[in-house]
Amino acid sequence: METAWLLPDLADETAAGFWAACAEGRLVVQTCGDCGARRMPPRPMCPHCRSTAVVWEESSGRGRIWSFIVAHPPLLPAFAAEAPYNAVIVELEEDPAIRLVGNLVATADGAIGEVDPATITIGEPVEVVFHRIDDVSLPRWTRRAD
Ligand code: ZN
């Protein structure tokens, strides 16, 4: 069944490596094949050295909540039914300058509004999980103990 959610374009060559890894349950970060600088979101050229060489570096999938919001209507219809829900920005453990946007959930396939927003704190340790929607594996975040 097709979802009404907004999903990434898997045919986009620049980000294809990211989404292919997600489909395998791995979180990767685009890294310059020449100078080694990491970048997110994926881009065709390194902003530091202008190289187009790309390496997909495996991430630990661990990070901390850098910021978050709680979404309330008005929202797109597919998302209004889920509200209120959180959207978190996570900084990765191996490089806090690399930040990803997602939802904090209790379980990989849980509803995006299942975590009580009042319990979310900046700096909270999280780890990635993947949730399949149509042909996309979306990275999401769950709490971790340490
Ligand atoms: Zn570079």
Side-chain angles (χ1 to χ4, degrees), residues 32-37 39 46 48-51:
C32 176
D34 284 315
C35 77
R39 57 189 191 257
C46 176
H48 303 285
C49 74
R50 299 182 185 175
S51 170

Side-chain angles (χ1 to χ4, degrees), residues 65-75 79-80 82-89 101-104 111-122 124 143:
I65 294 176
W66 183 77
S67 187
F68 71 97
I69 58 98
V70 179
H72 295 273
L75 298 162
F79 295 93
E82 305 283 338
Y85 60 86
N86 69 75
V88 296
I89 299 175
V101 177
N103 303 108
L104 180 67
I112 58 175
E114 70 182 350
V115 172
D116 178 355
T119 66
I120 302 172
T121 56
I122 302 294
E124 199 172 341
R143 290 177 161 135

Side-chain angles (χ1 to χ4, degrees), residues 79-142:
F79 295 93
E82 305 283 338
Y85 60 86
N86 69 75
V88 296
I89 299 175
V90 172
E91 60 181 16
L92 291 184
E93 187 173 81
E94 56 268 35
D95 187 344
I98 299 297
R99 298 180 183 135
L100 293 97
V101 177
N103 303 108
L104 180 67
V105 289
T107 59
D109 298 320
I112 58 175
E114 70 182 350
V115 172
D116 178 355
T119 66
I120 302 172
T121 56
I122 302 294
E124 199 172 341
V126 293
E127 63 188 349
V128 74
V129 291
F130 296 92
H131 173 65
R132 187 104 177 154
I133 303 177
D134 293 344
D135 55 351
V136 176
S137 291
L138 282 180
R140 295 171 144 192
W141 303 93
T142 58

